[in-house]
Amino acid sequence: MKLGIVGLPNVGKSTLFNSLTKAGAESANYPFCTIDPNIGIVTVPDERLKLLGDMYRSKKVTPAVIEFVDIAGLVKGASKGEGLGNQFLSNIREVDAIVHVVRCFEDSNVVHVDGSVDPLRDIETINLELIFSDLEVLERRISKVAKTARMDKTAARELGLLEQIKAHLEAGKPAKTMEVSDEEDLALLHSCNLLTGKPVIYAANVAEEDLSDDGGSNSGVAEVRKFAEEEHSEVFVICAQIEQEISELDEEEKAMFLEELGLAESGLEKLVKASYHLLGLMSFLTAGEDETRAWTIRIGTKAPQAAGKIHSDFERGFIKAEVVNYRDLLEQGSLAAAREKGLVGIEGKDYVVKDGDVILFRFNV
């Protein structure tokens, strides 16, 4: 899974990136301190892996990972060359979803590029810049397709849809709100790889005092939640500065610090939940002496395709899958004991994998 982090300068974007990835991206109180895109790989917290790894005494425990891409802060007029322009948006065209960091805290020591804190105005500024960037992409594609549209029916149909998408964007609406029912047209829309067609997770960045009630008393967070609900996006509340402090602690210290703050989970854990939910993802597990590992798949994936995540040969030569829920496996202490209790299912090609399934695939190539 790959997530792109966007936002205005000085909203806590790079601070959040630092805390999530411990990659040490520069963070300072002036606009555009991030120039080259920062990329960091983060392991997905999953207690099930540690428990299974301990049970099997696995030589290696491999969690699922998320790749984060942090680009320079955008400002109003970026598409026309203001600030650093939108030259870096191309770096997040390949992401699965966008994490939009929104400032919901007041701090006279941290300048705001527009002079005041207004979450909805800031969201609109970024969304418009994403739309302008998408329009540039569309205009290039329209220009290319128009050359053959007169002589080619397929190209003519594509041109018609591209013009519709362009009109939709020019009306200030993101691509994901465009209603397209025809499967061929939907595939074409997806092939444009538009930024405004991607799912969005809003990271409402608050002051420490607003963290304990998950931003409930913060009017800016309430506005962001309402906006996100209307466009079917996800929201999670963080204090990027606190997250950076948490990232420097070991697991025991981190648990104590979170408890002192009255928090059940870290910002990374909130973000993982939000992104998995938004993208319809889950994890199945494989476990053994050599390695215990989490594999990320889409909800609804069948056993052969899940096997293909491990290796294409597993999918091609799929015979069956031995499946046990991780809780049952831990309670019984071994796969053999779980088999004896009838807790291990022998599943075929139509089995739909469930979150937390521990699977042993049988295949023959």
Side-chain angles (χ1 to χ4, degrees), residues 7-144:
L8 292 171
N10 292 357
V11 297
K13 206 166 49 62
S14 291
T15 304
L16 175 62
F17 176 82
N18 285 344
S19 67
L20 293 176
T21 65
K22 300 182 186 177
E26 187 180 1
S27 173
N29 182 24
Y30 57 91
F32 316 123
C33 66
T34 304
I35 297 179
D36 295 320
N38 292 301
I39 297 173
I41 305 291
V42 178
T43 58
V44 174
D46 193 337
E47 190 187 13
R48 301 172 300 186
L49 281 179
K50 183 184 182 306
L51 296 172
L52 287 169
D54 289 347
M55 188 186 91
Y56 276 96
R57 293 178 183 162
S58 304
K59 294 171 188 168
K60 191 163 123 183
V61 174
T62 308
V65 297
I66 300 176
E67 182 177 328
F68 287 99
V69 183
D70 173 35
I71 63 166
L74 298 170
V75 293
K76 194 171 187 178
S79 57
K80 298 181 179 67
E82 292 295 325
L84 291 172
N86 63 6
Q87 57 187 300
F88 301 110
L89 286 173
S90 60
N91 293 299
I92 59 168
R93 285 214 173 266
E94 301 308 316
V95 301
D96 299 300
I98 289 172
V99 180
H100 183 162
V101 184
V102 185
R103 179 171 169 175
C104 297
F105 66 89
E106 296 281 355
D107 187 340
S108 58
N109 295 316
V110 181
V111 296
H112 190 293
V113 288
D114 287 329
S116 63
V117 175
D118 184 337
L120 293 187
R121 178 202 60 209
D122 293 353
I123 287 173
E124 185 182 2
T125 296
I126 295 295
N127 285 350
L128 280 173
E129 294 311 317
L130 298 182
I131 285 172
F132 291 143
S133 181
D134 281 348
L135 281 169
E136 282 184 22
V137 169
L138 271 181
E139 281 162 6
R140 285 198 296 270
R141 186 156 172 172
I142 285 170
S143 176
K144 187 177 177 182

Side-chain angles (χ1 to χ4, degrees), residues 42 54 66 108 121 124 159 182 228 256 295 319 323 343 346:
V42 178
D54 289 347
I66 300 176
S108 58
R121 178 202 60 209
E124 185 182 2
L159 181 61
D182 183 89
M256 288 172 61
W295 305 86
I319 299 172
V323 183
L343 297 171
I346 306 301

Side-chain angles (χ1 to χ4, degrees), residues 281-316:
L281 300 174
M282 65 178 198
S283 295
F284 75 91
L285 313 163
T286 53
E289 287 183 17
D290 287 335
E291 183 181 34
T292 291
R293 183 165 180 166
W295 305 86
T296 302
I297 56 171
R298 292 199 175 276
I299 293 169
T301 299
K302 292 186 177 180
Q305 287 70 51
K309 287 289 288 185
I310 300 173
H311 197 286
S312 57
D313 284 351
F314 282 33
E315 181 174 359
R316 193 157 50 92

Side-chain angles (χ1 to χ4, degrees), residues 181-235:
S181 54
D182 183 89
E183 283 192 22
E184 201 175 318
D185 285 350
L186 193 58
L188 178 60
L189 176 58
H190 287 157
S191 75
C192 293
N193 205 18
L194 300 175
L195 291 170
T196 60
K198 295 183 185 299
V200 176
I201 304 162
Y202 292 100
N205 190 11
V206 300
E208 182 180 339
E209 57 267 24
D210 290 332
L211 256 186
S212 56
D213 65 351
D214 207 27
S217 57
N218 185 304
S219 59
V221 172
E223 289 177 348
V224 175
R225 286 195 197 281
K226 186 180 177 188
F227 182 88
E229 189 179 341
E230 288 169 359
E231 66 167 29
H232 306 294
S233 295
E234 292 277 331
V235 178

